[in-house]
Each structure stands twice: as C-alpha cells, then as structure tokens.
Amino acid sequence: MKLTRKLVLAKAKASDLESVKKLNCWGCNLTDITIFSQMANIEVLTLSVNSISSLSPLAGCLSLCELYLRRNMIPSLSELSHLRPLTRLRVLWLAENPCCGTDPSQYRLTVLRCLPRLQKLDNQVVTEDEMALALVEGEEVSTPPGSLQSQLSTNGHPDAETENDPLNYSMEETNKIREELGMKPLSRDKFPSLVSPSTRETKLSMKKTHTLDAVLLLLRDLSEEELHVVHTATTNRLQTYTLDSETLNNSLQKQKTADIQH
C-alpha cells in the first residue's frame, strides 16, 4: 500500500505536508513511503509493523529526531546509509527486521557505527563505551547498489571502486585540505596518480594519508559529546597497539633468553 498525501493529512489532522511534525502510521500495511521526500519538517515518525523495504525516501527528512521501524521488511543494514544525513536523529527502533540478522551484538555495533549520534536504539540507551566499541568493531555500512546516492558517488562511471578511491583526489584538493589543517603540503612525487608506474606500497601510504586528513577535518565539526566518543575509541585503539607491542617484546625477550641458555 502506498502512503498518500490524503492519508498523511487525515492522520496528522493537518492542511499541508510542510506543517506535519509528528505522524503515526503503525500497522497500515505500507510498502511505498515516497511521500516523505516532500516532508522535510517531520520530527517524530512511527512506521512500525508495515512492509517497508527501502529507507531512501527518508534521506531528506533533516528534522527527524525519532524513527520507529520495528517489524518491517528492511533487507539490509545498507539501507541505513540513507539516514546518515539526518544529523538530528537520536532515537531509532529497527528490531525485528530481516536486516537485524542472527547476531544481535554485531548488529547493534554496526548500526551505531553508521549512526553515531543515536542516543537510543531499539528502546535501549546507547552508552559512551558502547559507542566507542562500535566505532572500532562495528562493520562499515555501504550504500545500497542502484541507489541514487550510489549513482552520484560513481559520477556515472561504471568503475565505482576506482571513482570512490581516495587516491583519485587531485593534488590541489588534498593540499587545500592540509593547508586548512595547518599541515605541510605534499610534494608532487608523493601522488601516485602523477607518477608512473605506481607501486602498491605507495598507494597504501597515500590512502592512509587521505584518511588521516579526512578524520582531522571532520573533528572540527564534532560536538563536545561526540569528541568524547572519539577520544574513548582512540584510547581503546591505542591500548590494543600497546598490548600487541608488549606481547612482541615479551616474545623477543624469551627468545633471547633461550638463545643465551643454549
């Protein structure tokens, strides 16, 4: 069933779509919710117990704070990529959908990594430690194949992997970012796209450079609360490196002792 303008206005008791802030469509057997592409001001939306399979119409609902989607037909967590632009979204109920899979812990970490601003997921409060763990162990959510966002990211070219590769950024674009961050610009010979042939090691090094630039640039837009989450995740990550280093040193010391004894 398609959610129509007439049905929305009747349920919300409103005269136009722009004025609708809250809407409850629980158990309406809905399959088509494209109407929400015209409802940028919606703040609280209940769509539980329907047959919805795509979240793409919600990508423009930038005022959305609470979204209830329990017991629908959402096939993959990749649909969550449509919710990434919704920076005000704090409450999401997604349980009992096919996308939840059989591992509730991994599912939760993956959702939180994709939507790190959430404060409550499936009626459970999100803790700071949980969010930090999600940023490290949650799986990365990709854009659904064939979606508008995916098509735009490939710029109409068939080779999406090549088009999305951070190595394809121009030297000017990269150095502009580094200048904003107060970092030294990279020299021309550091760009594999301008040097032939390019080695795998150089490409991997450049990919890490672009990733670091992007992370540092994004930090400027984070709130104090979000910076605390990043700090906790970074600390946990550093502890992992410390433990690996200690383990390696202990192994080397044992080997050295054994060699001396022999």
Side-chain angles (χ1 to χ4, degrees):
M1 177 179 173
K2 181 176 182 178
L3 182 60
T4 62
R5 181 177 185 275
K6 182 178 180 180
L7 183 57
V8 168
L9 296 180
K11 282 185 168 293
K13 297 181 180 180
S15 57
D16 58 85
L17 295 177
E18 291 76 15
S19 63
V20 178
K21 300 293 182 65
K22 297 182 180 182
L23 185 65
N24 188 340
C25 291
W26 190 97
C28 293
N29 198 31
L30 298 177
T31 56
D32 187 334
I33 57 171
T34 53
I35 188 69
F36 289 115
S37 61
Q38 305 173 43
M39 298 177 62
N41 297 324
I42 190 75
E43 296 178 359
V44 179
L45 181 57
T46 300
L47 294 171
S48 297
V49 194
N50 283 289
S51 298
I52 299 165
S53 59
S54 175
L55 302 181
S56 59
L58 302 177
C61 299
L62 301 182
S63 299
L64 196 61
C65 301
E66 299 182 21
L67 178 59
Y68 301 91
L69 290 164
R70 185 176 62 89
R71 288 182 60 187
N72 272 279
M73 298 299 293
I74 300 169
S76 168
L77 290 179
S78 62
E79 287 294 323
L80 294 179
S81 62
H82 298 300
L83 304 183
R84 280 175 173 154
L86 312 186
T87 57
R88 297 184 182 180
L89 186 63
R90 295 293 181 269
V91 177
L92 175 65
W93 200 330
L94 191 63
E96 299 179 68
N97 273 277
C99 64
C100 297
T102 57
D103 186 344
S105 177
Q106 187 61 42
Y107 146 76
R108 189 172 174 87
L109 292 177
T110 299
V111 174
L112 294 179
R113 175 175 175 175
C114 180
L115 304 172
R117 291 182 175 86
L118 287 181
Q119 297 176 353
K120 183 179 286 188
L121 173 60
D122 295 341
N123 206 34
Q124 293 183 22
V125 174
V126 178
T127 66
E128 184 174 315
D129 288 343
E130 184 180 29
M131 183 60 74
L133 184 63
L135 294 176
V136 176
E137 297 189 4
E139 297 178 5
E140 185 174 356
V141 172
S142 59
T143 305
S147 69
L148 177 60
Q149 187 176 350
S150 177
Q151 292 171 17
L152 289 176
S153 67
T154 60
N155 199 27
H157 296 292
D159 190 353
E161 182 177 354
T162 301
E163 190 69 24
N164 289 324
D165 191 345
L167 298 174
N168 288 321
Y169 293 148
S170 71
M171 182 171 65
E172 291 77 15
E173 289 172 329
T174 300
N175 281 336
K176 183 177 180 181
I177 294 176
R178 294 180 70 86
E179 183 180 356
E180 291 179 9
L181 294 170
M183 301 171 68
K184 293 182 179 180
L186 294 174
S187 59
R188 189 179 183 84
D189 60 359
K190 294 294 184 181
F191 282 79
S193 59
L194 303 176
V195 179
S196 181
S198 300
T199 64
R200 178 177 178 83
E201 290 75 13
T202 303
K203 288 185 177 182
L204 289 174
S205 176
M206 281 301 302
K207 187 171 183 179
K208 290 182 179 179
T209 298
H210 286 303
T211 300
L212 176 60
D213 291 349
V215 169
L216 293 174
L217 195 59
L218 287 171
L219 286 177
R220 301 189 307 178
D221 297 327
L222 297 182
S223 65
E224 182 179 357
E225 179 184 354
E226 291 164 343
L227 285 171
H228 278 300
V229 172
V230 173
H231 178 266
T232 303
T234 304
T235 301
N236 291 342
R237 185 69 170 166
L238 287 172
Q239 288 176 347
T240 300
Y241 281 114
T242 301
L243 290 173
D244 290 343
S245 178
E246 290 177 352
T247 301
L248 178 60
N249 289 335
N250 290 337
S251 297
L252 291 174
Q253 186 63 39
K254 289 180 180 179
Q255 182 63 45
K256 185 177 180 179
T257 301
D259 291 342
I260 293 174
Q261 292 175 348
H262 286 85

